[in-house]
Amino acid sequence: MGRPIARVEGRLKVTGAARYTADLPQDDGKDLVHAVAVCAAVAKGRITSIDARQARAAGGVLELITHHNAPRLRPVPAQEVLGPAHETLLVLQDDRVHYSGQPVAVVVADTLENATHAASLVRVEYAEERPVATLFEGIDDAFDSPRYAPPTTIGDVDRGLADAAVVIDRTYTTPAQHHHPMETMATTVRWTADEVTVHVSTQTISMVRDGLATTFGLRPEQVRVVSEFLGGGFGGKAAWCWPSVVTAMAARLTGRQVRLVTTRRQMFAATGQRPHSVQRVRLGARRDGVLTAIAQDCVGETSAFYDTPPFYIGAATPVPYGCPNIRTTQRFVKVNCQTPVPMRSPVEGVGLVSVESAMDELAAELGVDPLELRRRNYAERDPNSGLPWSSNGLLECYERGARRFGWPERNPEPRSMRDGRYLVGWGMATAIRHAGSDPTSALVRLGADGRAVVQIGSQDLGTGTFTIMTQVAADALGVPVEMMRAELGDTDLPTGGGSFGSHTAASVAAAARLAGEALRAKVIRIAVADEGSPLSGASPDDVLVDDGYLFVRGDRSRGERYAQILRRNRLQSATGDHTPPPREGATVARWAFGADFTEVKVDPELGTVRVTRHVKAIEAGRIINPRTARSQVIGGVVMGIGQALTEATEVDRRDARITNAGFWGYHVPVNADVPDIEAIFVERDDPHIPGSVKGLGEIATIGTAPAILNAVFHATGKRVRDLPITPDKLL
């Protein structure tokens, strides 16, 4: 624990030996056939006809699936399946079209080329209806959803605003944004009488298993889901979405092993998106900057066909600052789009863009340093629940981040700092993220050769789960890292949770540690009861382990290795496991904290913005591996740069079709856009969290976008309240 070891799977990845879902040769490829989806060219309406004659006559075609012959799916209420099920309950079930890109047919052929060609020959006619293209078109019909968007009310906000010496009342908009991991969605399914085996690029193998079992009327134990390597996932692979469902349909109908890989364009309709939002924020404060009221009223989009709206983007608003009067609300608009899904912090990553921008506007209005304003409003307890923090290093994040960045040298006047012809701006923001975990089981097995394996049915998004599982289990068992191996990504392994919500590290670390400790205790009991062991008769509490060598405290000569104990007792192996106990009610508020400091340079003639350096300080409990943790922070900040400056899903308001469905139009940051990024870890022992491990995945990106917005204002004197910050908004 705490060592910056290299990724244990790193060599496999950089040499190409790691096989991703679309790479896997299934049974030498002899039985493998390919599926290609035909997607709707309209956003709302009915299918009036499907002419598939040419497609069926094309070479190599085995099956063509439409709503006429698709297997009937069980209409499952969303609450029966963990996570956002969205359109999987509707796909190829009727003639309705709910969004552009919805699959309306699937062609199965012997080769990918034949399937692609045949799909291009399918002719679909529609009775088109006028869609709701964006939330602005449907905002008059916005509705409340108390179940999934519970309003927060603390104190009396109206009174707090009335009593304030200064009130900031601003409206901010954030665009829809889409997930773009390097690996697109890929699924391979074999359907036999005994078992359905699914290889899929997913962040949650257990959710895919349960979702497919439920919709196809199977028992969960009849479905095995495997996802060993994942080429990135930011929430879009956290749901069991239509590529997996239609591939399973094809495998069932053909009796063959079927693979479907979405195109980059289809990713815009396969994995959901970060929802478009409009957020009105009102802050009331005394002249000294102490907040008297916070009000955040949000409107977000959901799909036209899904009865359960997504997440509540104002849920974290009450957390960062100690304010006696807080109110948040959210309404939803049904839009002809795919159902929004989490995208690397669906709550704080969107809701705090407006709050942290408004805090900067309040600081400017009061003439108070933005960092000092946040310090004055530090919350001693969680304002929402009233519970004490499990740990909170936010003030130290402020102090260490500011010192490293050089914040005290900032000239507070907008447009006052220059580098030649460029305007220089410095901005900062607070970052918070709920520190959760999922019930996770684990098994650690020790062989007679002294080598061990840790098994958890989790998955590695590419963020280092293989490595931290190996480290933690090796530490708990007391063996060298080189003698421990991790296995994950298979529902046949002990049950793990999904890799989303910044839960993975905390979940797998706790389970791996407890299973490793159980195994160590078991072998120690065997040794002290073995008359042939040098440890015979010792108290188990006095037996220590170092690099696989067990010895008595104070007498290292009295000891032996794990392998010797197992061989002498004729044991081929020994195992230790962990099954999570029932959850108990919360007695503390568990959050990770951080502070972002960023520098931008703006060309005053062209309006272009470049982030030139970024410092992020994070308190996330204890860091298991500083190397993989730093990598998480770099990736998160890069994603935040995209959120602030380049990324937006553009929709044609006439027909609700996405106009930039590809990397040629949807711009993510590239190397030239990324500055020097420095990560500072403010470590804390947190007795309320197993292993003191809080997640890093999402807090790594939270705070970056509002810090950039605030830096752009400092550089230019222009306040942009509509993301992303494109040159036209500054000229």
Side-chain angles (χ1 to χ4, degrees), residues 235-355:
K237 296 179 182 177
W240 46 291
C241 40
W242 67 254
S244 299
V245 176
V246 301
T247 310
M249 285 181 176
R252 179 177 171 183
L253 289 175
T254 62
R256 302 286 292 274
Q257 187 169 221
V258 180
R259 173 173 294 163
L260 185 148
V261 181
T262 61
T263 64
R264 180 61 60 183
R265 183 179 184 86
Q266 287 175 338
M267 284 291 285
F268 282 82
T271 59
Q273 72 277 347
R274 175 179 277 157
H276 192 175
S277 80
V278 178
Q279 305 174 44
R280 181 190 180 193
V281 176
R282 286 170 289 168
L283 302 180
R286 303 184 326 210
R287 280 290 171 194
D288 61 2
V290 174
L291 292 167
T292 61
I294 301 174
Q296 183 181 28
D297 300 299
C298 308
V299 181
E301 65 185 4
T302 187
S303 64
F305 57 86
Y306 192 54
D307 292 334
T308 305
F311 28 81
Y312 179 34
I313 61 178
T317 301
V319 176
Y321 305 116
C323 180
N325 305 297
I326 302 173
R327 184 176 67 224
T328 65
T329 65
Q330 181 159 345
R331 295 178 298 145
F332 297 92
V333 175
K334 288 196 171 187
V335 175
N336 287 102
C337 64
Q338 199 207 38
T339 303
V341 296
M343 182 173 174
R344 203 165 193 175
S345 187
V347 177
E348 301 90 342
V350 178
L352 290 183
V353 168
S354 61
V355 172

Side-chain angles (χ1 to χ4, degrees), residues 512-708:
R513 178 177 61 84
L514 292 169
E517 289 175 349
L519 175 55
R520 180 175 65 182
K522 179 186 289 187
V523 178
I524 288 174
R525 288 195 299 271
I526 293 172
V528 298
D530 179 2
E531 293 183 356
S533 171
L535 302 169
S536 176
S539 168
D541 293 338
D542 287 335
V543 178
L544 306 179
V545 186
D546 180 31
D547 273 0
Y549 180 74
L550 291 75
F551 60 94
V552 176
R553 189 191 312 271
D555 185 4
R556 193 176 178 89
S557 65
R558 186 183 168 190
E560 60 180 336
R561 296 200 166 274
Y562 275 124
Q564 294 171 285
I565 297 171
L566 266 58
R567 286 198 296 265
R568 189 172 53 255
N569 285 273
R570 297 184 175 83
L571 295 173
Q572 294 299 313
S573 65
T575 61
D577 59 20
H578 168 70
T579 301
R583 286 188 180 266
E584 299 178 354
T587 57
V588 292
R590 303 178 181 185
W591 293 80
F593 299 90
D596 287 74
F597 297 85
T598 197
E599 176 185 83
V600 301
K601 292 183 180 178
V602 181
D603 188 318
E605 296 180 4
L606 300 178
T608 54
V609 179
R610 183 176 298 280
V611 179
T612 49
R613 67 193 172 96
H614 194 96
V615 173
K616 190 174 190 91
I618 293 177
E619 186 269 292
R622 285 293 171 192
I623 301 301
I624 299 173
N625 186 319
R627 183 184 298 202
T628 58
R630 178 176 176 271
S631 178
Q632 277 272 51
V633 173
I634 291 173
V637 171
V638 170
M639 199 164 179
I641 293 171
Q643 182 185 10
L645 299 180
T646 66
E647 294 187 48
T649 301
E650 306 289 351
V651 178
D652 190 323
R653 292 196 180 187
R654 297 168 299 179
D655 57 17
R657 297 183 69 183
I658 295 172
T659 62
N660 62 334
F663 281 148
W664 47 265
Y666 187 96
H667 296 158
V668 297
V670 296
N671 285 354
D673 300 311
V674 178
D676 177 55
I677 299 169
E678 184 167 354
I680 298 172
F681 297 111
V682 176
E683 296 198 58
R684 287 285 188 277
D685 286 319
D686 192 325
H688 304 283
I689 294 178
S692 297
V693 177
K694 302 178 183 180
L696 274 174
E698 290 173 291
I699 197 168
T701 196
I702 297 165
T704 301
I708 293 171

Side-chain angles (χ1 to χ4, degrees), residues 19-165:
R19 296 295 183 93
Y20 294 83
T21 300
D23 303 328
L24 293 170
Q26 306 296 326
D27 297 341
D28 298 323
K30 296 177 182 178
D31 194 35
L32 180 65
V33 297
H34 297 266
V36 171
V38 178
C39 296
V42 303
K44 185 179 182 182
R46 290 186 177 275
I47 300 169
T48 57
S49 69
I50 300 177
D51 184 350
R53 288 173 295 179
Q54 292 186 61
R56 290 186 185 278
V61 172
L62 304 173
E63 184 63 86
L64 196 146
I65 309 170
T66 69
H67 65 279
H68 295 298
N69 64 338
R72 297 298 94 182
L73 301 177
R74 179 187 167 199
V76 186
Q79 60 268 26
E80 288 192 21
V81 179
L82 173 65
H86 53 256
E87 82 282 11
T88 52
L89 310 185
L90 300 168
V91 63
L92 300 181
Q93 298 299 286
D94 56 34
D95 62 358
R96 293 293 308 178
V97 175
H98 301 279
Y99 63 94
S100 176
Q102 175 184 324
V104 295
V106 176
V107 177
V108 185
D110 57 349
T111 68
L112 176 60
E113 291 78 10
N114 282 339
T116 302
H117 174 62
S120 73
L121 301 177
V122 177
R123 299 290 179 259
V124 184
E125 298 292 334
Y126 307 92
E128 191 171 358
E129 301 170 19
R130 182 169 180 80
V132 178
T134 73
L135 63 81
F136 292 115
E137 280 79 54
I139 203 162
D140 291 339
D141 297 320
F143 63 95
D144 297 320
S145 178
R147 179 177 177 185
Y148 281 85
T152 299
T153 302
I154 300 169
D156 186 337
V157 165
D158 294 333
R159 179 63 181 271
L161 291 171
D163 290 345

